[in-house]
Amino acid sequence: MLIARKLLVLLLLFFMTSTGLSGSSTYSSVVLTHYFEQPKNTQKLNLIWPAASHQYLSSGSSSLLSTMVRKAIEQSNEYWLTQAALMNHLEAQLELARRTSKETIKKFWWLQAAQSGHSASYFELALVENDFDLRISYLERAALAEYQPAVIALSQYWYDTGHKEKAIKWLVKAAKYDPLSEYYLGRLLWKQGKHEQANIHFKSAGKSIDEAKDLAILNELHSPVSVQDWLNKDKQLQPKCAQQLQFVANNLDSAVQAKKFMRKFQKDARFEQLPICINNLVWLNEGALSCQLEGHRQRCDLSEIAASIGKQNFTHLVFFLPNGTAYVQHGLMYLDQADTYSVFVHELAHFAGFIDEYAISSDLAEQYCSNFSAPNFYVGDSLYSSSRFNTWQQHYQKVADVNYEISINNELPVNAELAISPSRTCNKLGIQSVKPSIDITFMEHHDTNHIPPLYLQLWKSQLSNAHGFIAVAEALN
């Protein structure tokens, strides 16, 4: 028995050297202790061992060894678990990996289990391995053995790092049992121009993934078109609409974003009394609209659109693009995919002449803070004798008896009261401007979602004389 134990020790030392684990003195001492210090409370496991090891070595049967392992687990007997683990008993190897808090020992037993065909252990090794190449190697080995978490993780890795071909290879497998992987597969197929195949995956993944459902619905209602196809028919403005907005998206995600904003606007009670209309989405083929970033702002070639102004059914254009700072230029609005609905509402107010209530840049302040009229803005010494104050007073009377304020989510009872307070608009020039509210409004911080009732009345008034005015024409001249 002593000779056999010494042979096992030699085998273990050889194995540790070959796997790079011999440098860990902590590991060596912990494992080798099992060979020289047999626990006293073995409860006859030492009697089972000779028969169990003989059966396994002579016939390959592990029935007695498994019995011994189960008893060793019940007794927390790591000595006999180690004996069985060194004979490649999988349950013993995994139990020893589970029990230890030392990463080097965990990795040792997971590696033994993995090399014995336990693919999940390769996955566990990938999770703790610091060497990048080795981590990917372990992950690939687990994935090649069809271990589902590894297939999903590997496909996700290649997708996130932009390796499209490798991602598709593994996403095809992962999509069979993981809805998120199927959604990613659909996105990659879409980018390859395989729209029908992509939409099949969007519909399937959409049963569990909201983003996939949105794409499936989008594809049922819309399809990408060229600029020429969009503009080739003459259209008429709706008389009831003071502002008729045309949402334009140039890729899949932007189109989904535009549809979401459209639905939110249609349900937004704050705008029920405003004559603002939104046309059906125009979703352009990728590349159909030539745009480039200048600083942080997108600039697009709108020459084809400019040539058709007067024959179209929009007064304002809202472009949904992949990136770029949100801004308005006359009748044009540019949004990117990171912008929220509250950003859109803030920019929409610019279409009605509202000015920012945060400190604008010095260049803009030079332009606006000396001679500019905005419904939420006044600068000068004679406020109370000004026409602007009179306008605020008149519209205040329309809301003074209305005992509510509409918020984005519900109706909150308040007492409407006209109050004048400083705004920060012209701070960069050291000029004091004022606004008709004591609150932080959506024109200072869009995410407050706070539009005072007076602002809505002013907005409505601004639009009352705007019917038929094609604001976008100014931007395209």
Side-chain angles (χ1 to χ4, degrees), residues 403-416:
N403 201 29
Y404 65 83
E405 174 187 308
I406 301 174
S407 75
I408 194 167
N409 296 317
N410 51 24
E411 294 184 358
L412 302 175
V414 298
N415 292 317

Side-chain angles (χ1 to χ4, degrees), residues 32 49 73 77 89 97 112 155 160 205 222-224 274 307 330 379 386 391 433 465 471:
L32 293 180
W49 169 252
I73 292 173
N77 191 319
H89 191 279
Q112 310 322 305
S155 63
D160 289 343
H222 303 276
S223 58
L274 300 186
H330 299 294
V379 62
S386 68
T391 299
S433 57
N465 297 317

Side-chain angles (χ1 to χ4, degrees), residues 282-303:
V282 170
W283 178 10
L284 296 177
N285 294 321
E286 289 197 35
L289 192 65
S290 177
C291 302
Q292 61 181 11
L293 278 174
E294 295 182 5
H296 297 290
R297 292 185 168 190
Q298 288 278 6
R299 304 285 185 185
C300 299
D301 179 1
L302 304 178
S303 54

Side-chain angles (χ1 to χ4, degrees), residues 183 187 190 199 201-222 252-261 263-264 281 283:
Y183 166 59
R187 291 182 63 86
W190 181 274
N199 207 36
H201 292 294
F202 291 149
K203 288 179 180 179
S204 177
K207 298 172 185 176
S208 305
I209 307 295
D210 288 342
E211 289 84 352
K213 183 179 179 180
D214 289 338
L215 294 180
I217 293 173
L218 175 71
N219 280 292
E220 287 181 1
L221 300 175
H222 303 276
L252 190 65
D253 293 311
S254 294
V256 170
Q257 180 189 24
K259 290 294 289 185
K260 287 182 177 179
F261 284 13
R263 289 195 296 268
K264 286 186 176 182
L281 172 68
W283 178 10

Side-chain angles (χ1 to χ4, degrees), residues 232-277:
N232 68 352
K233 293 181 181 179
D234 291 351
K235 308 174 187 72
Q236 298 295 321
L237 293 171
Q238 297 182 46
K240 67 176 183 178
C241 305
Q243 292 182 345
Q244 194 162 338
L245 278 54
Q246 180 63 68
F247 283 7
V248 181
N250 73 339
N251 65 36
L252 190 65
D253 293 311
S254 294
V256 170
Q257 180 189 24
K259 290 294 289 185
K260 287 182 177 179
F261 284 13
M262 190 181 301
R263 289 195 296 268
K264 286 186 176 182
F265 183 81
Q266 291 167 347
K267 295 178 181 179
D268 197 329
R270 297 173 299 179
F271 302 115
E272 288 179 350
Q273 302 302 315
L274 300 186
I276 301 173
C277 307

Side-chain angles (χ1 to χ4, degrees), residues 136 139 148-163 166-172 174-175 178-185 188:
I136 296 300
L139 202 56
Q148 291 184 5
V151 174
I152 294 170
L154 189 60
S155 63
Q156 175 80 60
Y157 170 75
W158 294 127
Y159 179 84
D160 289 343
T161 55
H163 293 78
K166 290 182 178 180
I168 288 176
K169 171 186 173 181
W170 290 105
L171 284 170
V172 167
D178 179 51
L180 185 59
S181 296
E182 185 165 26
Y183 166 59
Y184 291 147
L185 176 60
L188 288 181

Side-chain angles (χ1 to χ4, degrees), residues 297-369:
R297 292 185 168 190
Q298 288 278 6
R299 304 285 185 185
C300 299
D301 179 1
L302 304 178
S303 54
E304 283 189 78
I305 300 174
S308 71
I309 291 299
K311 301 178 182 179
Q312 301 301 320
N313 62 338
F314 54 81
T315 60
H316 297 71
L317 288 170
V318 181
F319 291 102
F320 291 80
L321 303 174
N323 49 37
T325 301
Y327 76 101
V328 159
Q329 180 187 16
H330 299 294
L332 299 176
M333 183 191 302
Y334 293 90
L335 299 172
D336 79 1
Q337 287 170 199
D339 287 327
T340 61
Y341 175 70
S342 63
V343 173
F344 164 69
V345 171
H346 173 98
E347 299 299 331
L348 184 63
H350 287 316
F351 277 168
F354 284 79
I355 194 170
D356 293 317
E357 292 174 354
Y358 55 78
I360 60 178
S361 69
S362 297
D363 289 343
L364 287 176
E366 291 280 0
Q367 181 180 350
Y368 293 125
C369 293

